[in-house]
Amino acid sequence: MELPPRPDFQSLETGIRAFWEQEGIYKFNPYSKMPVYSIDTPPPTISGKLHIGHAFSYAQADFIARYKRMRGFNVFYPFGFDNNGLPTERLAEETYKIKAKNMPRKEFVDICLKTSEAIEAQYKEVFFAMGLSCDWSLTYRTIEPKVQKKSQLSFLKLYEKGRVYRKLAPTIWCPRCETAIAQVELKDKEVESVFNYILFELEDGKKIEIATTRPELLPSCCAIFVNPEDMRYKHLIGKKARVPIFDFLVPIMADKRADPNKGTGIVMFCTFGDLTDVEWASAYGFEPKISIDQSGLLNELAGKYKGMRIKDARAAIIEDLKQNGLLVRQIPIKHNVNTHERCDTEIEFLLTNQWFVKYLDLKETYLKAGRKIKWWPKHMFARYENWIKGLQWDWCISRQRYFGVPFPVWYCKQCGLEMLADPDQLPVDPLKDFPKRRCKCGSTEFEPEKDVLDTWATSALTPLINADWPENEKLLKKIYPMSLRPNAHDIITFWDFNTIVMCLFHTGKAPFENIMISGHGLDRHGRKMSKSKGNVVLPLDIIKKYSADALRFWASSVKLGEDLNFKEEDLQIGLRNATKLWNTARFAAMHLKAKPKKPKRLHIIDSWLIQELNEVIDDATNAFEAYEYSKAKTIAENFFWNTFCDYYIEMIKYRLYSGKDKDSALWTLYNALLLQLKLFAPFMPFITEEIYQKLFKASERAKSIHLSGWPETYKVVRSKIAISVGRASVECIAAIRKLKKQKNLSLAHELEEITLYHPDIKNAKKAAEDIKETMRIKNIIFKKGSEILAT
RNA sequence: GGGCCUGUGGUCUAGUGGUUAUGACGCCACCCUUACAAGGUGGAGGUCGGCAGUUCAAUUCUGCCCAGGCCCACCA
């Protein structure tokens, strides 16, 4: 068997992918009796292009999938696409230069579907090229009818349990997307703003000063608060003040949430400027006065400012206050505001009808469930815990958008009562379908719910979607709770938390046994990749240039949970490793004609190598069991380059060429190489498969290295002496190399006689022949010395 | 402001309560050695972020500080 001098990674990887596909190497076997390892693959959001950061974290999950498969697990590794919701809408709008608002809904939804399909194909190409070992026949889309059905069923079941409710309530609102959003979708942004000190008049004509950054909310002012402990203002409590320009009276009240150190210590309470306002409204039972509409424009309550955008209204009101001498001063400040993470727009609080998942009452339950799951790395649990402790809002799951899973709900035109779809009519689109029953009031006239579900309400069901819940109880039993949820650390709150909540509601059980949190693949300077920053690196470009194996090798180079900056030159490392494996295989191929038989007696150097390898296998296995793939890789890498290539192979050459103890060398070479290929297989699935096919397939049973089983340690006679002899001989060889280097001699240069000093000459002497032959020394005089030295 | 994480030769990284602190890239020198020059060998380069403490001993443990990251709070 001969291998060509250089592998062509491109055609090699293409060929191997075709082979995997054709042979169904990664197919989940629902009938197998082997233990199942199920993976809840993150369905990527369909929002544009995948970059190297995506490749980074998906590769890490794949390392585990491949390891577990080699350990004999029946791996359930599906793929999904999250293509409903805002990101896909926005992408469609950008791609086709359209606005959802300005066209028939159905037409827009069709365009979104079309957009999504095209992007899915591109995504799949990338993940496929990377060598993800998914079973692609298990692919789902969150927008497809089958998934819609499950998502709607989930809603109906939650409704029955009293876990969802609809309510007119202050809601976090994005004026740009014109939809309600959830707490988790908020991001903060530091902006420049101005503290405006405005005069309010008391009934007795005296004036008080109030500082605000949002004078446009003056028409929404409901009351004024001072701190009850604040001696300066105690006398104001119970009095009334007149709101400037808008000219109406509001009460002055005391509340400890008013901070004496902020502004003037007097705060105006408006519906709704911020979360405190929302709290005040409910605490004191104020009727909200809403002056900003759903597009972010001021309404009739704002009088002459009606129709203005928030920022314009602010400027206009400030100008008018100035004119009337009511603006005392302006102090520029920087402060953080909440924005919608998808579009960066400052959010408002509006009074709207929305659907909520009631979940604030069960925080302890979620914590308990979270504690039962093994988090890798462990400390990531703290983020989950931290999030739950800070939760303040029920989960708003309705979105005033178009492309998504519809609510299976109508409202009675007569009495307004909610009418829910029957489970057997799902998936349902209330815009074109009708309820099966009449309303309790007898009416048959219904208004459809136009909103769609928050995309996370669907993607929080992925373990159940994968298990084909609730129809397929057998599959559910087999794969649920899922063995592994892999994702990056930024979506612990979005996805992990929501999934745990939803699955607890539906099954009473936490949905995962393990959660593995990866870091981010960032650009050279540690920034996230994004189109707007112009720092996006495309995985396919890298794969073309360096191979998928090299890309994966890069992704395995930091420990789990750590971020990694992408530097193109680092790809060389993986490429070199693949080439080295290839060349080592070529060397082995030159000597291995058939599967070598186990020799009667192992040469002492071979025994040493096998025992070192055993240790490596143990260490790598332990690392993988703790999801420390990078440790496993480093262990294998060091052994391969150092012990195996630099020393062991050099030490057996003389035996291979001379024939002395050749059987032992061949047997060791064959097995050590095979086991090392297996250690590398999760990281470099292509090159290891190619070598396996060319060199080992004929004599090994498995049709793919990825089904060939994880290496087991060899039960050779444990010989402590062999280990000492091997290590001593390595040290002696190193000393002789140093000597030759000092004399600027080639390593092949023959020397007549040298003297070797070594603390353990007894064992060094046992490998005298190997040392001599390897280093081409005719005679060695061994002397005991505290330092290892050759002269 | 709170939680969690990170800070190791020029760059990136491993690791440990105890001899000269791991490896890679880059750098220098030498070597065509019949698997591999996308290689081999040897070498230079680090007060392990700062300060204090615990200890016979700290890069490793504790506290504080500084810098960076992610998440949360703050928004009058």
Side-chain angles (χ1 to χ4, degrees):
Chain A
M1 178 77 238
E2 273 191 40
L3 299 180
R6 291 245 161 112
D8 171 1
F9 289 107
Q10 279 305 307
S11 62
L12 179 156
E13 292 191 350
T14 309
I16 293 291
R17 271 195 295 272
F19 166 73
W20 289 339
E21 275 293 282
Q22 201 185 320
E23 296 290 326
I25 301 294
Y26 307 124
K27 273 236 168 326
F28 173 68
N29 180 356
Y31 309 108
S32 158
K33 294 223 167 74
M34 298 306 281
V36 169
Y37 190 84
S38 52
I39 302 174
D40 193 16
T41 318
T45 305
I46 301 295
S47 61
K49 282 217 160 93
L50 292 174
H51 53 66
I52 218 80
H54 296 100
F56 175 71
S57 46
Y58 279 84
Q60 296 178 3
D62 193 58
F63 302 150
I64 302 298
R66 288 180 178 278
Y67 165 71
K68 292 289 179 183
R69 192 177 293 110
M70 291 179 82
R71 286 302 300 256
F73 284 93
N74 182 19
V75 174
F76 179 89
Y77 191 11
F79 204 84
F81 295 101
D82 191 7
N83 49 5
N84 80 61
L86 262 178
T88 310
E89 285 194 11
R90 187 153 301 122
L91 180 67
E93 289 183 331
E94 276 168 25
T95 310
Y96 295 97
K97 308 271 176 266
I98 51 170
K99 275 266 171 226
K101 271 201 291 196
N102 306 333
M103 61 198 306
R105 180 161 177 169
K106 178 159 186 322
E107 205 177 303
F108 181 68
V109 166
D110 286 344
I111 290 175
C112 289
L113 279 170
K114 196 170 86 180
T115 310
S116 176
E117 240 168 71
I119 302 292
E120 281 165 35
Q122 290 174 19
Y123 277 26
K124 183 175 170 182
E125 194 191 353
V126 173
F127 290 125
F128 191 62
M130 275 178 61
L132 279 204
S133 60
C134 296
D135 179 347
W136 291 95
S137 70
L138 300 173
T139 302
Y140 63 87
R141 296 165 183 78
T142 52
I143 198 69
E144 71 191 357
K146 198 178 153 190
V147 175
Q148 291 209 16
K149 184 176 168 185
K150 295 185 193 308
S151 185
Q152 291 181 332
L153 184 67
S154 156
F155 178 85
L156 295 182
K157 287 188 180 268
L158 293 180
Y159 187 88
E160 275 168 34
K161 292 179 211 265
R163 279 281 152 205
V164 288
Y165 63 92
R166 186 172 191 248
K167 195 176 157 192
L168 180 71
T171 314
I172 306 167
W173 185 269
C174 173
R176 169 153 174 210
C177 301
E178 297 194 30
T179 180
I181 56 174
Q183 186 184 348
V184 74
E185 289 167 282
L186 298 180
K187 228 174 104 175
D188 35 286
K189 184 170 89 170
E190 188 173 71
V191 294
E192 313 248 334
S193 185
V194 176
F195 241 148
N196 300 285
Y197 287 73
I198 298 171
L199 291 176
F200 281 54
E201 200 181 287
L202 299 176
E203 282 171 301
D204 60 9
K206 283 185 185 153
K207 303 252 165 85
I208 53 169
E209 248 180 64
I210 295 180
T212 176
T213 56
R214 301 202 56 188
E216 73 276 13
L217 285 174
L218 281 172
S220 291
C221 184
C222 295
I224 283 166
F225 283 105
V226 297
N227 193 290
E229 308 294 318
D230 193 336
M231 296 312 287
R232 294 172 297 175
Y233 302 126
K234 257 196 165 148
H235 65 282
L236 295 176
I237 298 166
K239 292 187 177 160
K240 285 191 169 161
R242 188 165 295 279
V243 176
I245 300 183
F246 296 92
D247 198 31
F248 57 87
L249 285 171
V250 293
I252 300 175
M253 302 164 69
D255 188 284
K256 59 179 187 308
R257 278 167 282 203
D259 181 352
N261 300 317
K262 240 178 198 172
T264 60
I266 311 177
V267 52
M268 67 173 193
F269 149 52
C270 305
T271 45
F272 298 96
D274 63 24
L275 199 56
T276 317
D277 291 338
V278 176
E279 286 170 16
W280 275 329
S282 75
Y284 295 100
F286 276 94
E287 206 42 52
K289 292 195 222 167
I290 301 292
S291 58
I292 294 171
D293 77 7
Q294 307 191 343
S295 320
L297 304 177
L298 273 75
N299 65 16
E300 50 285 340
L301 197 67
K304 68 171 186 167
Y305 307 100
K306 183 188 168 185
M308 287 188 175
R309 311 210 129 269
I310 293 170
K311 297 237 156 96
D312 300 336
R314 185 179 304 170
I317 290 175
I318 287 174
E319 194 47 44
D320 289 345
L321 287 167
K322 256 188 210 163
Q323 296 291 324
N324 295 308
L326 296 167
L327 187 67
V328 181
R329 63 195 143 126
Q330 293 188 297
I331 296 175
I333 55 160
K334 273 190 187 168
H335 68 166
N336 287 318
V337 293
N338 274 325
T339 61
H340 183 197
E341 55 103 26
R342 301 268 191 213
C343 69
D344 222 26
T345 307
E346 288 179 38
I347 58 101
E348 295 292 336
F349 294 89
L350 292 187
L351 206 57
T352 52
N353 262 313
Q354 303 290 348
W355 284 96
F356 295 88
V357 171
K358 178 183 163 196
Y359 66 5
L360 291 179
D361 55 328
L362 294 176
K363 288 186 180 188
E364 206 34 62
T365 310
Y366 315 139
L367 287 172
K368 223 168 156 187
R371 274 184 216 113
K372 273 198 195 137
I373 298 169
K374 290 192 195 106
W375 296 73
W376 310 93
K378 219 173 174 177
H379 67 255
M380 292 295 179
F381 173 71
R383 299 203 183 182
Y384 174 83
E385 197 174 22
N386 197 230
W387 169 254
I388 290 173
K389 289 185 174 157
L391 269 180
Q392 321 199 39
W393 295 70
D394 273 342
W395 178 11
C396 175
I397 52 164
S398 43
R399 296 290 179 276
Q400 289 65 54
R401 299 299 306 182
Y402 315 96
F403 186 55
V405 179
F407 279 81
V409 177
W410 299 261
Y411 305 100
C412 174
K413 277 187 180 169
Q414 288 288 323
C415 67
L417 209 67
E418 294 150 4
M419 166 61 73
L420 274 78
D422 273 10
D424 60 14
Q425 70 181 128
L426 303 180
V428 76
D429 180 358
L431 290 171
K432 52 176 214 262
D433 300 325
F434 297 97
K436 287 193 157 178
R437 287 163 287 129
R438 47 176 67 219
C439 180
K440 274 182 195 152
C441 76
S443 166
T444 53
E445 300 269 291
F446 293 96
E447 190 73 46
E449 169 63 74
K450 294 197 195 79
D451 292 355
V452 295
L453 282 155
D454 176 12
T455 188
W456 295 102
T458 304
S459 57
L461 300 170
T462 53
L464 298 174
I465 293 168
N466 283 320
D468 200 15
W469 168 87
E471 292 95 342
N472 195 338
E473 272 177 41
K474 245 176 137 178
L475 185 63
L476 186 74
K477 220 171 152 190
K478 239 181 154 98
I479 70 160
Y480 188 96
M482 298 193 78
S483 314
L484 179 67
R485 157 65 68 90
N487 58 257
H489 52 63
D490 56 334
I491 53 172
I492 292 173
T493 53
F494 279 91
W495 197 38
D496 294 330
F497 171 68
N498 286 338
T499 309
I500 291 170
V501 168
M502 282 296 217
C503 291
L504 276 175
F505 286 162
H506 289 304
T507 70
K509 271 193 271 187
F512 324 113
E513 283 154 5
N514 298 281
I515 294 183
M516 168 178 142
I517 302 293
S518 62
H520 282 142
L522 305 168
D523 78 357
R524 176 176 292 272
H525 308 288
R527 298 171 309 174
K528 269 195 189 181
M529 289 187 183
S530 75
K531 229 190 332 187
S532 57
K533 286 188 203 122
N535 60 355
V536 171
V537 178
L538 299 178
L540 281 182
D541 293 346
I542 297 304
I543 290 170
K544 270 187 200 130
K545 209 162 159 188
Y546 298 93
S547 80
D549 277 345
L551 173 61
R552 298 168 59 101
F553 206 72
W554 168 77
S556 72
S557 63
V558 281
K559 68 178 169 206
L560 182 63
E562 295 288 297
D563 293 343
L564 179 60
N565 296 0
F566 177 83
K567 297 206 195 92
E568 193 171 324
E569 57 269 29
D570 290 345
L571 269 297
Q572 293 290 353
I573 299 167
L575 197 59
R576 275 184 41 225
N577 199 70
T579 308
K580 189 82 171 174
L581 280 171
W582 182 259
N583 284 319
T584 308
R586 278 183 67 213
F587 173 78
M590 282 169 48
H591 299 281
L592 294 165
K593 301 300 168 215
K595 182 169 181 171
K597 281 199 193 103
K598 187 162 184 190
K600 282 199 189 100
R601 229 192 94 254
L602 268 184
H603 186 280
I604 196 156
I605 291 300
D606 299 332
S607 168
W608 158 71
L609 194 271
I610 291 293
Q611 289 180 79
E612 297 276 20
L613 183 56
N614 279 346
E615 203 171 296
V616 163
I617 291 168
D618 273 343
D619 292 349
T621 305
N622 290 338
F624 255 125
E625 285 300 316
Y627 293 79
E628 283 289 359
Y629 54 79
S630 77
K631 208 179 200 175
K633 186 222 65 171
T634 307
I635 290 165
E637 193 185 6
N638 286 344
F639 180 79
F640 171 62
W641 283 77
N642 197 265
T643 308
F644 190 66
C645 290
D646 294 346
Y647 286 95
Y648 178 72
I649 286 185
E650 294 305 324
M651 288 168 82
I652 60 169
K653 275 180 181 170
Y654 85 92
R655 285 194 273 143
L656 293 177
Y657 290 117
S658 75
K660 192 179 178 213
D661 272 342
K662 189 174 169 182
D663 291 352
S664 173
L666 283 177
W667 180 86
T668 310
L669 178 64
Y670 178 97
N671 288 290
L673 178 59
L674 177 59
L675 294 200
Q676 287 179 88
L677 284 177
K678 291 181 180 207
L679 291 175
F680 281 114
F683 306 107
M684 309 198 113
F686 293 98
I687 193 82
T688 53
E689 180 77 292
E690 178 77 6
I691 296 169
Y692 179 84
Q693 294 298 330
K694 293 245 155 79
L695 225 59
F696 295 98
K697 171 79 164 290
S699 44
E700 299 292 319
R701 261 168 299 171
K703 64 179 168 186
S704 160
I705 190 169
H706 304 295
L707 302 176
S708 72
W710 186 248
E712 308 247 340
T713 55
Y714 273 97
K715 311 266 186 305
V716 289
V717 184
R718 297 234 171 244
S719 160
K720 278 194 181 153
I721 294 173
I723 292 178
S724 304
V725 170
R727 289 181 184 173
S729 58
V730 161
E731 286 162 352
C732 291
I733 288 170
I736 298 169
R737 282 173 175 169
K738 212 168 179 170
L739 175 73
K740 287 195 175 181
K741 159 73 192 162
Q742 275 162 5
K743 299 190 170 175
N744 283 349
L745 297 172
S746 115
L747 293 176
H749 190 95
E750 265 195 32
L751 288 176
E752 282 298 321
E753 185 174 278
I754 62 162
T755 309
L756 248 181
Y757 296 89
H758 195 280
D760 184 14
I761 43 168
K762 203 171 131 204
N763 282 314
K765 267 186 181 168
K766 287 195 178 119
E769 189 184 8
D770 301 278
I771 298 168
K772 280 195 280 190
E773 293 286 349
T774 304
M775 294 311 295
R776 310 213 179 165
I777 312 286
K778 284 204 172 146
N779 190 32
I780 299 179
I781 301 161
F782 285 96
K783 284 193 178 162
K784 199 169 173 88
S786 55
E787 279 182 51
I788 303 159
L789 185 70
T791 56

Coordinates of all heavy atoms in Angstrom, one line a residue, chain A residues 225-234 237 253-261 265-267, chain B residues 76:
Chain A
F225 N -43.0 62.5 43.0 CA -42.5 61.8 44.2 C -41.3 62.4 44.9 O -40.4 62.9 44.1 CB -42.2 60.3 43.9 CG -43.4 59.5 43.8 CD1 -43.9 59.1 42.5 CD2 -44.2 59.1 44.9 CE1 -45.0 58.3 42.4 CE2 -45.3 58.3 44.7 CZ -45.7 57.9 43.5
V226 N -41.3 62.4 46.2 CA -40.1 62.8 46.9 C -39.9 61.7 47.9 O -40.8 60.9 48.3 CB -40.2 64.1 47.7 CG1 -40.5 65.3 46.7 CG2 -41.4 64.1 48.7
N227 N -38.6 61.6 48.4 CA -38.3 60.6 49.4 C -38.9 61.0 50.7 O -38.7 62.1 51.1 CB -36.8 60.4 49.5 CG -36.5 59.1 50.2 OD1 -36.7 59.1 51.4 ND2 -36.0 58.2 49.5
P228 N -39.6 60.1 51.4 CA -40.2 60.4 52.7 C -39.2 60.9 53.7 O -39.6 61.6 54.7 CB -40.8 59.1 53.2 CG -40.2 58.0 52.3 CD -39.8 58.7 51.0
E229 N -37.9 60.5 53.6 CA -36.9 60.9 54.6 C -36.2 62.3 54.2 O -35.4 62.8 54.9 CB -35.8 59.9 54.6 CG -36.2 58.5 54.8 CD -36.9 58.3 56.2 OE1 -36.3 58.8 57.2 OE2 -37.9 57.6 56.3
D230 N -36.6 62.8 53.0 CA -35.9 64.0 52.5 C -36.4 65.2 53.2 O -37.5 65.7 52.9 CB -36.0 64.0 51.0 CG -35.1 65.0 50.4 OD1 -34.7 66.0 51.1 OD2 -34.8 64.9 49.2
M231 N -35.6 65.8 54.2 CA -36.1 66.9 55.0 C -36.5 68.1 54.1 O -37.3 68.9 54.4 CB -35.1 67.3 56.0 CG -34.8 66.2 57.0 SD -36.3 65.5 57.7 CE -36.8 66.9 58.8
R232 N -35.8 68.2 53.0 CA -36.0 69.4 52.1 C -37.4 69.5 51.6 O -37.9 70.6 51.4 CB -35.0 69.4 50.9 CG -33.6 69.5 51.3 CD -32.7 69.3 50.0 NE -32.9 67.9 49.5 CZ -32.4 67.4 48.4 NH1 -31.7 68.2 47.6 NH2 -32.6 66.2 48.0
Y233 N -38.0 68.3 51.4 CA -39.2 68.4 50.7 C -40.4 67.8 51.5 O -41.5 67.7 50.9 CB -39.1 67.5 49.4 CG -38.0 68.0 48.5 CD1 -37.0 67.2 48.1 CD2 -37.9 69.4 48.1 CE1 -36.0 67.6 47.2 CE2 -36.9 69.8 47.3 CZ -35.9 68.9 46.8 OH -34.9 69.4 46.0
K234 N -40.2 67.5 52.8 CA -41.3 66.9 53.5 C -42.5 67.7 53.5 O -43.7 67.2 53.4 CB -40.8 66.7 55.0 CG -40.5 65.3 55.3 CD -40.4 65.0 56.7 CE -40.4 63.5 56.9 NZ -39.6 63.0 58.0
I237 N -45.3 67.1 50.6 CA -46.1 65.9 50.5 C -47.5 66.3 50.8 O -47.9 67.0 51.8 CB -45.6 64.9 51.5 CG1 -44.2 64.5 51.2 CG2 -46.5 63.6 51.5 CD1 -43.4 63.7 52.2
M253 N -46.4 63.1 46.2 CA -46.5 62.0 47.2 C -45.0 61.6 47.6 O -44.0 62.0 47.0 CB -47.2 60.8 46.5 CG -48.6 61.2 46.0 SD -49.2 60.0 44.8 CE -49.5 58.6 45.9
A254 N -45.0 60.7 48.6 CA -43.8 60.2 49.2 C -43.6 58.7 48.8 O -44.5 58.0 48.9 CB -43.7 60.4 50.7
D255 N -42.4 58.4 48.4 CA -42.0 57.0 48.1 C -40.5 56.9 48.2 O -39.8 57.7 47.7 CB -42.5 56.6 46.7 CG -42.4 55.1 46.4 OD1 -41.2 54.6 46.2 OD2 -43.4 54.4 46.5
K256 N -40.1 55.7 48.8 CA -38.7 55.6 49.1 C -37.9 55.3 47.8 O -36.7 55.3 47.8 CB -38.4 54.6 50.2 CG -38.9 53.2 50.0 CD -38.6 52.3 51.2 CE -38.9 50.8 51.0 NZ -40.2 50.5 50.6
R257 N -38.6 54.9 46.7 CA -37.9 54.7 45.5 C -37.4 56.0 44.9 O -36.6 56.0 43.9 CB -38.8 54.0 44.5 CG -38.8 52.5 44.7 CD -39.9 51.8 44.0 NE -41.2 52.0 44.6 CZ -42.2 51.2 44.5 NH1 -42.1 50.1 43.7 NH2 -43.3 51.4 45.1
A258 N -37.9 57.2 45.4 CA -37.3 58.5 44.9 C -36.0 58.7 45.6 O -35.9 58.7 46.8 CB -38.3 59.6 45.3
D259 N -35.0 58.9 44.8 CA -33.6 59.0 45.3 C -33.2 60.5 45.5 O -33.2 61.3 44.6 CB -32.7 58.4 44.2 CG -31.2 58.4 44.7 OD1 -30.9 59.0 45.7 OD2 -30.4 57.8 44.0
P260 N -33.0 60.8 46.8 CA -32.7 62.2 47.1 C -31.5 62.7 46.4 O -31.3 63.9 46.3 CB -32.5 62.2 48.6 CG -33.0 60.9 49.1 CD -32.9 60.0 48.0
N261 N -30.6 61.8 46.0 CA -29.3 62.3 45.5 C -29.3 62.4 43.9 O -28.3 62.8 43.3 CB -28.2 61.3 45.8 CG -28.0 61.2 47.3 OD1 -28.1 62.2 48.0 ND2 -28.0 60.0 47.8
G265 N -33.8 65.6 43.6 CA -34.4 64.7 44.6 C -36.0 64.7 44.5 O -36.6 64.0 45.2
I266 N -36.5 65.4 43.5 CA -37.9 65.4 43.2 C -38.0 64.7 41.8 O -37.3 65.1 40.9 CB -38.5 66.8 43.1 CG1 -38.2 67.6 44.4 CG2 -40.1 66.7 43.0 CD1 -38.7 69.0 44.3
V267 N -38.9 63.7 41.7 CA -39.0 63.0 40.5 C -40.5 63.0 39.9 O -41.4 63.0 40.7 CB -38.5 61.6 40.6 CG1 -39.1 60.9 41.8 CG2 -38.7 60.7 39.4
Chain B
rA76 P -32.9 59.4 33.4 OP1 -33.4 59.3 32.1 OP2 -32.0 60.5 33.8 O5' -34.2 59.7 34.4 C5' -35.4 60.1 33.8 C4' -36.2 60.7 34.9 O4' -36.4 59.7 36.0 C3' -35.6 61.8 35.7 O3' -35.7 63.0 35.0 C2' -36.3 61.8 37.0 O2' -37.6 62.4 36.9 C1' -36.5 60.3 37.2 N9 -35.4 59.8 38.1 C8 -34.2 59.2 37.8 N7 -33.5 58.9 38.9 C5 -34.3 59.3 39.9 C6 -34.2 59.2 41.3 N6 -33.1 58.7 41.9 N1 -35.2 59.6 42.1 C2 -36.2 60.1 41.5 N3 -36.5 60.3 40.2 C4 -35.5 59.8 39.5

